[in-house]
Amino acid sequence: MGVLTAALGTVPLWGSDYLVLFFFLFCLYLTVAQMWNLLAGYSGLISLGQQVFLGIGGYSVAVMGNYYGLNVLLSILAGGFFSVLLALFMSLFIFRMKGVYFSIGTWIFAEILMIWFSNWSFVKYGTGLFIKTNPPLSTNETFYIAFVLGVGSVALVYFIMRSRLGLGLMAMRDNEDVSETMGVQVFRYKLYCFLIAAFITGMAAGVFYIFQVFVQPYKAFSIDWTVKLVFIVIIGGIGTIEGPIVGALILVFLSQVLADYFSVSLLILGAIAIAVILLAPKGIMGTLQAKLGFEILSPRRK
Amino acid sequence: MIDLAQPIINGLLLGGLYAVIALGLSTIFGIVRVVNLAHGDMVILGSYLSLAFCMWLGLNPLWTILLVAPIMFCVGFLIQSVLFNRVLGKGMEPPLLMAFGISIIVQNFLLLVFTSDARALKSDLSMMTISLGEINISLLYLLNFLIGLAVILGLRQFFRKTFLGRAIRAASDDVVAAKLVGANTSSIYAYAMGIAALTAAVAGVLVGMTFIFYPHTGPQYLIIAFGVVIIGGLGSIKGTLVGGFILAMAQLLGAHFFGPGYQLLCGYMVLLIVLAIRPNGIFGKA
């Protein structure tokens, strides 16, 4: 485990530019998918609106960097901060909804923000903004930030699951009513997870859009983001810490190999996802764990 | 007042179309308890099928309903019996994600076959209007409304009068009891999805005649369908009709007062407000 992490962290030293790009995307998808996993796999909150935070993170970096000349690291942090503020506001509405209604509620919020940003002169309507960072970052520097986020997100979920919060979450997932009677503060725990996920997702989005150099509402707030996250987590294994790692590897690999055939790659992804749901509903890692009785990153207490 | 009459009339007529778009989603939720996130894509699949027949046979788009509807019935029947029936009773996530997968496959299949160009089902109807004093009624909107109403009333009669319709209702009211008296719920669910896909096909042809569409337009109509169903309450046919009127009215009045850019936004706002106040919709069962 340690060796792999060290190898990943030093890709710019030994790998080609292509590998740096590959693992840069891997780290970012891993981060955002791990946060979706925290929501859907551990807290029972199936959000179809994570693109809200990706959009907000991207626009924060653009606006803070271009208009106010804020330092790039602070801009990324600002993306997380604004995402948390928005998540707090959203929670006023969507935490009254249960199950499917919650999923659609989050999605509708994303659609509202997409329309809002495409009608807002401050962010140049639908044309979008170019991103100038202060100071400009090299590819390797963006990679290191993504690496920290990727490793950080895995560690974060690991430590959350080992904590009191994690114990409560798992009890909730198994039976919400009983755990509430036993003293788990269901509402508050879910809200914590939602805010944490918003914060990390917002920051990862900032790094992604610094790499993209351009942020535009129809792409940034698009449901395509959540589609990818869902597939990463489902294929890898929902509710396992290792699942999103495997899933993100598969997604980035597929999208790189089939880069010239964008629609084919999504078609294959959709087919794989359906096959996984039918044949191995726990995903690759979940099925392996059940078969081998072995977890690499086990949040369980021995 | 007269300038308000136009958006209100249009809202009413558009509401009929929105109700058909939502009908299949509502039916499937009411019967199978699955939220079919691919419903919007089934509507757009209907539009593209109609387009294919128009180009191939040179038909008027309206007549293609007769061809598209049975094909979509089979598609729905197959999707339910091959895919959805296998993940029922395993919690909320698997069917939801399954539908998500189907949605992606349909979108990208359409993208491969028809490219990402904007399409429309052209007919002479789109230009015709009836003038009543200062109000213009688009013939196409009127037709949408009438066909929509016919489909909704037809479905209601089907559920009330026919054997299959009653069997579907029985399975929806109490699965265990329906099984006990010998109903095969798996095949009932497959028929129900077929019927939902059939209404999606009608909606798809009407949508295609009224608006332009792309392979990725599906989710947009899913959200409209969801809006209608949430306002009206999942699983209620009457609620679907009322929900359609409210959502369309909110959109067109919003566009009237704030400009066309805010048409969708106003619809979503009304939706969120309804959700926040009545989380199960106006006519919704808990």
Side-chain angles (χ1 to χ4, degrees):
Chain A
M1 217 42 215
V3 177
L4 283 180
T5 315
L8 179 63
T10 52
V11 168
L13 302 180
W14 53 268
S16 62
D17 286 354
Y18 178 75
L19 275 183
V20 175
L21 170 70
F22 184 93
F23 284 107
F24 168 76
L25 290 174
F26 165 71
C27 287
L28 284 184
Y29 278 116
L30 169 61
T31 310
V32 184
Q34 193 65 267
M35 289 303 115
W36 194 79
N37 186 31
L38 174 66
L39 294 178
Y42 290 110
S43 328
L45 295 171
I46 302 193
S47 160
L48 296 179
Q50 289 307 96
Q51 63 272 30
V52 157
F53 308 120
L54 284 143
I56 289 295
Y59 270 104
S60 300
V61 170
V63 167
M64 288 297 156
N66 295 8
Y67 294 1
Y68 303 109
L70 194 68
N71 176 279
V72 58
L73 290 177
L74 290 177
S75 307
I76 294 172
L77 215 59
F81 176 70
F82 286 127
S83 294
V84 170
L85 281 187
L86 180 69
L88 265 177
F89 176 71
M90 281 168 73
S91 68
L92 293 178
F93 293 86
I94 56 176
F95 271 71
R96 297 163 132 261
M97 306 170 195
K98 285 223 155 82
V100 172
Y101 288 91
F102 175 87
S103 306
I104 305 296
T106 49
W107 188 0
I108 288 170
F109 253 102
E111 294 290 314
I112 288 179
L113 258 84
M114 184 199 283
I115 299 170
W116 187 272
F117 273 71
S118 57
N119 280 297
W120 194 11
S121 62
F122 182 64
V123 295
K124 299 234 174 68
Y125 307 107
T127 23
L129 291 171
F130 276 101
I131 297 169
K132 291 191 284 282
T133 58
N134 169 39
L137 290 183
S138 72
T139 320
N140 286 354
E141 282 164 334
T142 23
F143 172 82
Y144 288 124
I145 302 175
F147 171 73
V148 171
L149 281 174
V151 174
S153 71
V154 175
L156 180 68
V157 173
Y158 179 74
F159 284 113
I160 287 178
M161 294 327 289
R162 294 290 303 244
S163 71
R164 206 181 149 72
L165 175 61
L167 205 60
L169 288 177
M170 275 189 269
M172 259 163 53
R173 184 184 54 177
D174 295 340
N175 192 324
E176 195 169 315
D177 295 333
V178 173
S179 52
E180 183 146 37
T181 333
M182 297 298 286
V184 178
Q185 290 169 310
V186 170
F187 180 85
R188 189 180 293 182
Y189 280 18
K190 283 188 172 179
L191 185 63
Y192 286 159
C193 282
F194 194 60
L195 296 182
I196 291 170
F199 183 64
I200 306 286
T201 307
M203 290 201 298
V207 183
F208 180 81
Y209 281 103
I210 288 173
F211 160 75
Q212 289 264 301
V213 195
F214 185 66
V215 57
Q216 192 246 21
Y218 302 109
K219 285 261 189 291
F221 292 105
S222 157
I223 184 79
D224 289 355
W225 269 115
T226 296
V227 170
K228 287 180 184 160
L229 304 186
V230 171
F231 285 156
I232 290 174
V233 177
I234 294 302
I235 292 173
I238 190 167
T240 66
I241 292 180
E242 304 92 326
I245 303 177
V246 176
L249 260 183
I250 294 177
L251 180 104
V252 178
F253 178 74
L254 263 183
S255 54
Q256 291 296 315
V257 170
L258 299 170
D260 297 334
Y261 314 95
F262 177 70
S263 51
V264 181
S265 78
L266 283 179
L267 207 65
I268 294 176
L269 214 55
I272 295 180
I274 288 183
V276 167
I277 296 169
L278 284 178
L279 303 173
K282 289 176 186 155
I284 295 174
M285 289 319 285
T287 311
L288 279 181
Q289 283 173 4
K291 284 242 165 74
L292 306 174
F294 173 71
E295 293 178 45
I296 303 165
L297 280 172
S298 172
R300 277 178 214 169
R301 274 153 220 195
K302 305 246 157 55
Chain B
M1 265 319 282
I2 195 77
D3 56 331
L4 265 187
Q6 185 73 52
I8 287 177
I9 295 254
N10 281 346
L12 198 69
L13 296 180
L14 189 63
L17 178 61
Y18 280 7
V20 207
I21 295 174
L23 195 56
L25 188 75
S26 173
T27 316
I28 285 304
F29 183 83
I31 295 162
V32 194
R33 310 274 164 213
V34 163
V35 175
N36 181 12
L37 288 184
H39 185 72
D41 300 292
M42 284 160 100
V43 170
I44 293 300
L45 184 61
S47 313
Y48 274 101
L49 278 176
S50 170
L51 178 76
F53 282 120
C54 288
M55 294 197 308
W56 184 35
L57 301 171
L59 289 174
N60 181 311
L62 210 49
W63 295 118
T64 63
I65 290 183
L66 299 175
L67 292 167
V68 176
I71 295 179
M72 285 300 292
F73 176 86
C74 299
V75 171
F77 191 93
L78 278 177
I79 287 181
Q80 181 71 37
S81 49
V82 177
L83 298 176
F84 278 118
N85 272 345
R86 296 193 186 185
V87 289
L88 289 182
K90 292 184 182 165
M92 183 192 125
E93 295 95 341
L96 197 73
L97 301 169
M98 175 78 79
F100 225 52
I102 295 171
S103 155
I104 297 311
I105 291 180
V106 171
Q107 282 178 32
N108 290 286
F109 171 75
L110 290 175
L111 188 63
L112 273 179
V113 178
F114 293 95
T115 73
S116 58
D117 296 345
R119 305 284 180 156
L121 301 175
K122 291 192 189 69
S123 68
D124 316 331
L125 282 170
S126 50
M127 288 298 145
M128 294 185 201
T129 52
I130 305 171
S131 295
L132 291 176
E134 294 184 28
I135 301 167
N136 290 314
I137 297 175
S138 152
L139 211 55
L140 193 55
Y141 272 49
L142 188 64
L143 188 77
N144 288 341
F145 178 79
L146 292 176
I147 294 183
L149 213 57
V151 171
I152 288 168
L153 292 177
L155 194 67
R156 208 171 118 115
Q157 284 304 309
F158 170 78
F159 280 136
R160 287 190 175 175
K161 304 282 180 196
T162 64
F163 180 77
L164 180 61
R166 288 180 184 176
I168 290 176
R169 264 172 52 209
S172 135
D173 286 344
D174 193 333
V175 190
V176 179
K179 276 184 184 159
L180 274 177
V181 296
N184 177 353
T185 49
S186 296
S187 95
I188 285 178
Y189 286 165
Y191 278 113
M193 184 61 98
I195 290 162
L198 191 145
T199 66
V202 177
V205 175
L206 298 180
V207 160
M209 289 172 67
T210 318
F211 307 105
I212 54 169
F213 51 93
Y214 304 87
H216 292 111
T217 319
Q220 195 181 316
Y221 289 105
L222 174 68
I223 293 191
I224 286 179
F226 220 88
V228 168
V229 163
I230 282 181
I231 295 173
L234 278 165
S236 147
I237 290 188
K238 181 175 65 179
T240 309
L241 201 55
V242 176
F245 291 146
I246 294 179
L247 185 69
M249 211 79 92
Q251 286 190 350
L252 293 187
L253 286 177
H256 180 76
F257 286 116
F258 306 111
Y262 291 92
Q263 175 169 340
L264 290 172
L265 194 66
C266 290
Y268 294 147
M269 288 297 189
V270 169
L271 186 55
L272 273 183
I273 292 166
V274 171
L275 262 183
I277 299 169
R278 286 195 59 111
N280 287 317
I282 296 174
F283 294 97
K285 297 171 261 186

